[in-house]
Amino acid sequence: MSSSHTPTQVLFAPPSPTPTSAPEEEEFYSSWSLFLVCVLLILSLWTSYYLQIKRIRAVHETLVAIFAGMFVGFVVRLAPGTMIREMLTFKHTLFFNLLLPPIILNSGYELKQENFFRNFGSILIFAFLGTFISAVGVGVLVYIWSFLGLESLELGLIECLAFGSTLSATDPVTILAIFNQYKVDPKLYTIIFGESLLNDAVSIVMYETLAQFHGTDIHILSIFHGIGIFLLSFSVSMALGVAFGLAMSLLLKHSYLPQYPSIETCLVALFAYTSYFFSNGLGMSGIVSLLFCGVTLKHYAYHTMSRRTQRATKSIFSTLAKLSENFIFIYLGLSLFTSAPTSEKVTSYFKPLFVIITAVAVVFTRYAAVFPLSEAINFFHRHARGQRQEELPHSYQMMLFWAGLRGAVGVALAAGFKGENAQTLRTTVLVVVVLSVLVFGGTTARMLEVLGIRTGVEDDEASSDDED
């Protein structure tokens, strides 16, 4: 979510002002910072190419990106001077305004709509109920832990629930990339992909809803009020995205823009990004707007575009998304060392037991969300629709559980908790996210083999109008 309406207003503390430096010096250090990022991106993408031609599937490019980022972050941390370290520190405004939109837009634009809407019920259940169970579960377990007072952490219930909502955002980029290589069963791919798309939006809207109750007493009406705010924000954001997509479609249909492909391509991209920032500016969810704008553009506008614009938009959106994904994982690795304050002792903000409890809570709540909801979906399909075959067999359920690794959205949301425990919460979220990517992302290929999930499946039923 952009800085115009992220929870910065309530839960985020504004970054402390840094002393102004000479423009020449700032340009010098920013050049070195960007040089390091470009080198790491080249390394990550070249590794991806090498792993694919050698058919090495035990290691994925995202793991390489994180480890490379961690190494550079560690070196920068030890080096004298603070300028480069400050420039390489994770900034939630940069993430929400620059890195996240290309990924969401490309996801909506490349969405295989037939599969997505065929499994829409399952996706909604996991995205809404699953995220809610995960957020509340982690929040309550962390609250109980802080209540015990073993590590002198005093956290309020709203603060714990907000903390839980940051860690309810899944980000299975690694797993979906491996699924693409293996050509995993389209149904499983679509459910995990769809859940992760809507899940990010749900967790952010949930976080913002909780932010409005920060520092107030909770009662029964607060719960209904919160649910009302959540549903209003989600539905208005979706309507805004669809409206912008339809407006672009009508503009293409009733103008001669297809005769000017370069202008046409720019306008398509700008309409999508405008929906994101306009939605944020109104206090809604930019992610939801951008996602549904991308889906609407592909469904209605794509066929009225010139052939050149069709190719250009697909190519530009996918390229930007690829760069953003790799940059985010590098960013996470860097932040593990660059975001921690140098003026304080490590033990003052890094609580090992709290990290372990949080990691266990994340895994436990993911398990508690996936398996009961899967059984409920199977029960409905078996009894209401008379379906003999299970909608989600046990192997699919295990893979859904495995796909619950956390991502950069959680780190971005936690980037500015305020209060005496703020740095502890930020560090814990970052460590848990990196651990989940390393453990779950690094073992996905092996899990596919262990669970015996079908691979090498060609998806003929998905819409193929994007193939040249």
Side-chain angles (χ1 to χ4, degrees), residues 277-289:
F277 293 117
F278 181 66
S279 185
N280 284 339
L282 292 178
M284 298 296 128
S285 170
I287 285 185
V288 176
S289 295

Side-chain angles (χ1 to χ4, degrees), residues 131-145:
T131 306
F132 180 78
I133 291 168
S134 179
V136 173
V138 171
V140 170
L141 290 171
V142 166
Y143 181 69
I144 293 169
W145 173 256

Side-chain angles (χ1 to χ4, degrees), residues 172-180 192 399 402-405 440-441 444:
V173 170
T174 314
I175 287 177
L176 293 176
I178 292 169
F179 276 19
N180 264 331
I192 292 175
M399 208 64 235
W402 216 254
L405 47 88
F440 291 104
T444 302

Side-chain angles (χ1 to χ4, degrees), residues 74 116 124 153 162 172 180 189 198 225 261 304 320 374 390 410 417:
F74 182 67
F116 181 79
L124 284 181
L153 281 172
N180 264 331
Y189 179 92
L198 294 178
H225 184 206
T304 54
L320 289 175
S374 298
E390 283 194 325
F417 277 121

Side-chain angles (χ1 to χ4, degrees), residues 134-338:
S134 179
V136 173
V138 171
V140 170
L141 290 171
V142 166
Y143 181 69
I144 293 169
W145 173 256
S146 70
F147 188 74
L148 297 174
L150 294 177
E151 285 184 304
S152 64
L153 281 172
E154 294 181 9
L155 301 170
L157 182 59
I158 289 288
E159 198 173 9
C160 288
L161 289 173
F163 177 74
S165 67
T166 65
L167 283 169
S168 64
T170 61
D171 185 19
V173 170
T174 314
I175 287 177
L176 293 176
I178 292 169
F179 276 19
N180 264 331
Q181 289 177 17
Y182 274 74
K183 297 191 185 300
V184 171
D185 184 29
K187 181 198 281 189
L188 178 61
Y189 179 92
T190 303
I191 292 174
I192 292 175
F193 176 72
E195 184 214 356
S196 70
L197 271 182
L198 294 178
N199 163 279
D200 284 350
V202 169
S203 60
I204 291 171
V205 176
M206 191 185 299
Y207 189 96
E208 293 192 338
T209 305
L210 286 165
Q212 298 188 29
F213 294 97
H214 186 65
T216 61
D217 296 327
I218 306 176
H219 40 83
I220 298 297
L221 285 175
S222 301
I223 297 171
F224 292 104
H225 184 206
I227 293 171
I229 294 171
F230 174 85
L231 292 175
L232 178 70
S233 177
F234 198 93
S235 54
V236 171
S237 302
M238 184 170 68
L240 283 171
V242 172
F244 272 87
L246 289 175
M248 186 67 231
S249 305
L250 290 169
L251 195 65
L252 286 170
K253 190 174 182 181
H254 299 288
S255 70
Y256 297 103
L257 272 174
Q259 295 178 18
Y260 305 92
S262 56
I263 297 175
E264 185 186 23
T265 304
C266 292
L267 284 174
V268 170
L270 284 169
F271 259 74
Y273 273 80
T274 305
S275 75
Y276 178 79
F277 293 117
F278 181 66
S279 185
N280 284 339
L282 292 178
M284 298 296 128
S285 170
I287 285 185
V288 176
S289 295
L290 189 57
L291 171 64
F292 283 95
C293 184
V295 171
T296 308
L297 283 172
K298 183 63 183 294
H299 190 71
Y300 292 104
Y302 187 81
H303 303 289
T304 54
M305 296 175 192
S306 64
R307 194 69 177 152
R308 188 172 155 191
T309 300
Q310 288 178 346
R311 292 197 200 97
T313 50
K314 283 174 61 63
S315 178
I316 291 167
F317 295 165
S318 62
T319 302
L320 289 175
K322 183 73 173 173
L323 282 171
S324 293
E325 285 169 2
N326 281 275
F327 190 12
I328 285 169
F329 286 106
I330 289 167
Y331 216 16
L332 287 177
L334 284 166
S335 298
L336 207 58
F337 292 99
T338 58

Side-chain angles (χ1 to χ4, degrees), residues 104-124:
I104 301 298
L105 175 57
N106 186 59
S107 298
Y109 202 67
E110 294 289 344
L111 190 69
K112 293 175 179 176
Q113 295 172 24
E114 191 177 337
N115 275 336
F116 181 79
F117 289 107
R118 188 187 297 138
N119 297 287
F120 197 55
S122 301
I123 289 168
L124 284 181

Side-chain angles (χ1 to χ4, degrees), residues 356-427:
I356 293 168
I357 292 296
T358 305
V360 170
V362 165
V363 174
F364 175 75
T365 53
R366 179 68 181 176
Y367 186 92
V370 168
F371 288 92
L373 291 177
S374 298
E375 289 304 321
I377 291 167
N378 285 339
F379 181 84
F380 172 78
H381 279 273
R382 194 163 48 243
H383 290 84
R385 292 189 172 181
Q387 187 173 308
R388 292 184 180 181
Q389 195 175 4
E390 283 194 325
E391 180 69 11
L392 295 171
H394 183 71
S395 60
Y396 282 24
Q397 295 177 32
M398 276 301 298
M399 208 64 235
L400 275 161
F401 165 70
W402 216 254
L405 47 88
R406 272 41 182 173
V409 170
V411 178
L413 286 176
F417 277 121
K418 65 177 181 180
E420 56 185 36
N421 296 312
Q423 189 57 47
T424 301
L425 295 177
R426 284 195 293 268
T427 305

